[in-house]
Amino acid sequence: MSLIVQKYGGTSVATPERIRAVARRVARYKSLGYQIVVVVSAMSGETNRLIGLAKEIMEEPDPRELDVMVSTGEQVSIGMAALALIDLGIKAKSYTGSQVKILTDDAHTKARILKIDHNNIQEDLDKGYVVVVAGFQGEDAQGNITTLGRGGSDTTGVAIAAALKADECQIYTDVDGIYTTDPRVVPEAKKLDSITFEEMLEMASLGSKVLQIRSVEFAGKYKVKLRVLSSFEEEGDGTLITFEEKNNMEQPIISGIAFNRDEAKVTILGVPDTPGSAYQILGPIADANIEVDMIIQNVGSVGTTDFTFTVNKNDLNKALAVLNEKVKNHVHAREVNGNDKIAKVSIVGVGMRSHIGVASKMFRTLSEEGININMISTSEIKISVVIDEKYLELAVRALHKAFELDI
Ligand code: ASP
Ligand code: MG
C-alpha cells in the first residue's frame, strides 16, 4: 500500500477551521487507499509568541528551557489535527517527537535528527490509523526535549518520510509551489512544475524561504520524493523536486532567480600582499563565529591588496569590531569599512552546464539597466552578483525577462 507523508505548515493549521480543512484533505487521501502520516507545525504566530514569552522572563533564554516552551506549539496542533480527524470518523493518533521517537543530538534550538524509531507509528499505520506527528521537535539521548531550528517541521516531515520509505513527502504551505522568482517582485513569475534538488538547494540557500534548507539536504541525501503544494487550493500538483534533469531540449537555461537582502559587505583596504594575509583576516572572523559568504581579493595600490567579503547583516558590527580590533594593525591594513545597503541576486539553473554565455548575458542585462556589479561569484549551476540594494527589484525584473522566465 502506498504511504505518503503530508506536512502542514503554520498557516495551514492557523485556525480550527483550517485544521478541519486539513482533516478533510487527509480523509480524501485515506479514502483513496493511502497510508498517511501527517506532520504539523505550530499554529502560525505561535512559535514567535512562545519565544516572546520566554524573552520576557530572560533576555537570552536558557536553550533547554526554551525548547521545553516552544515545542508546545506543535503539541497543541497534533492534538487538534487528531481531533479533527476523529471527528470525521477517521482513526487517528497523535505523537510528540519523543513519543515517536525522534532522537536528536543535544544542540538545543538547532538540533539535528540522528535516528527515528518508526516501529510504533508503522504498527499504527498497519492498524489503519492516520498518524499525526509533531514537527520541529525531538529528544536527545538523555530524554531532553529538543527543537530543530526555525522552519524545522519541514525536516521532520522529510525525515519521517525517509524512515518509513514513503512514496512521497508532500509539503503543504500557503503558496502553490516554487516560483521562478518571488511573485511580489515580479508579477509575471511562473510556478515551476518541477525543479531539481541541486537547484532547490541553491534557491533555498539563497533565501527563497519556502522550504527549510536542511529538509532539502535531507531529502537529497535519502532520495525522498518531495512536492510543495498549497493547502488553500483543492486542485494542483504543486512543484515536484526531482533528481532527474529534463532532456536538453526542454531544459531551460535558468530555472529561477533568487535574491536576498540579508548580507552586508566588509572591505579591508591596503593589506600588504604577502602569504597568509587572507588567513590573518578570515581566521579571527571565523573564531568569532561569523559566517562568511562571498569573498574577493583585488590588487590594490603597489604591493597591496583589497579584501572584500560578505556576512549576514546581523553580524556586520561584530565583523567590523573584529577587523578594527584584532586584524587591522596586525596585518598593517590601511582602512576597514562596511556597507549594509547591498543585495545579492543569483540566477540558478542546471541548464547552465550545457550553455555558454550565460554569465555574459547576465552582466549585459545588468549593464543595460545601468546597474553596477560590486562582487561576482559562480558555481556550476549558479551565478551571484552583489549590487546596490536600491537596484534589487529592477535587476530581478530585468533578468527574469532576459532569461525568458515569464514565457
Ligand atoms: N513552529 C516552528 C517555527 O515556527 C517550526 C515550523 O513551523 O516549521 O519555526
Ligand atoms: Mg515553514
Side-chain angles (χ1 to χ4, degrees), residues 172-395:
Y172 286 92
T173 178
D174 50 5
V175 294
D176 62 352
I178 309 295
Y179 277 70
T180 49
T181 194
D182 187 339
R184 283 168 302 189
V185 171
V186 184
E188 297 81 19
K190 291 240 160 5
K191 182 178 80 69
L192 297 161
D193 293 332
S194 68
I195 183 170
T196 71
F197 264 92
E198 278 178 291
E199 290 170 332
M200 191 60 216
L201 267 180
E202 293 285 9
M203 298 283 278
S205 70
L206 293 166
S208 303
K209 297 199 176 66
V210 182
L211 283 174
Q212 196 201 33
I213 180 155
R214 255 200 213 172
S215 72
V216 184
E217 287 165 0
F218 213 105
K221 187 160 160 202
Y222 293 97
K223 295 264 187 271
V224 175
K225 196 169 155 199
L226 253 189
R227 189 185 291 278
V228 174
L229 314 112
S230 166
S231 67
F232 290 77
E233 287 167 20
E234 296 295 317
E235 304 284 316
D237 293 331
T239 301
L240 181 66
I241 303 165
T242 63
F243 295 94
E244 296 113 53
E245 290 173 24
K246 297 181 179 137
N247 67 41
N248 230 338
M249 298 292 286
E250 293 169 54
Q251 184 67 52
I253 304 174
I254 297 302
S255 299
I257 300 175
F259 55 85
N260 86 47
R261 301 179 174 91
D262 304 338
E263 289 182 27
K265 187 171 83 164
V266 184
T267 305
I268 176 159
L269 295 161
V271 183
D273 194 6
T274 49
S277 58
Y279 172 64
Q280 283 170 337
I281 294 166
L282 292 178
I285 293 287
D287 292 343
N289 250 322
I290 300 171
E291 218 176 290
V292 170
D293 180 26
M294 289 163 95
I295 304 173
I296 54 170
Q297 190 189 328
N298 281 333
V299 183
S301 48
V302 183
T304 69
T305 70
D306 297 338
F307 203 89
T308 304
F309 56 94
T310 62
V311 297
N312 191 288
K313 268 185 189 159
N314 298 328
D315 285 333
L316 175 61
N317 287 335
K318 201 161 130 198
L320 291 175
V322 170
L323 292 182
N324 279 314
E325 286 154 28
K326 302 209 174 118
V327 177
K328 191 175 161 201
N329 292 335
H330 187 64
V331 301
H332 307 291
R334 197 174 67 240
E335 195 183 323
V336 171
N337 52 52
N339 178 356
D340 64 359
K341 299 272 179 296
I342 59 159
K344 183 164 98 174
V345 180
S346 311
I347 58 175
V348 176
V350 292
M352 246 183 239
R353 288 197 183 112
S354 48
H355 285 83
I356 51 168
V358 180
S360 71
K361 182 168 182 175
M362 179 184 198
F363 304 152
R364 187 179 69 224
T365 305
L366 295 173
S367 92
E368 279 166 5
E369 299 294 339
I371 301 171
N372 189 40
I373 300 172
N374 292 324
M375 298 174 84
I376 299 171
S377 84
T378 65
S379 78
E380 220 192 337
I381 65 161
K382 176 193 72 178
I383 305 169
S384 304
V385 296
V386 167
I387 59 172
D388 200 329
E389 189 181 60
K390 65 175 185 273
Y391 297 122
L392 174 62
E393 306 208 340
L394 176 62

Side-chain angles (χ1 to χ4, degrees), residues 7 9-10 41 151 154 209-210:
K7 181 262 167 180
S41 290
D154 293 341
K209 297 199 176 66
V210 182

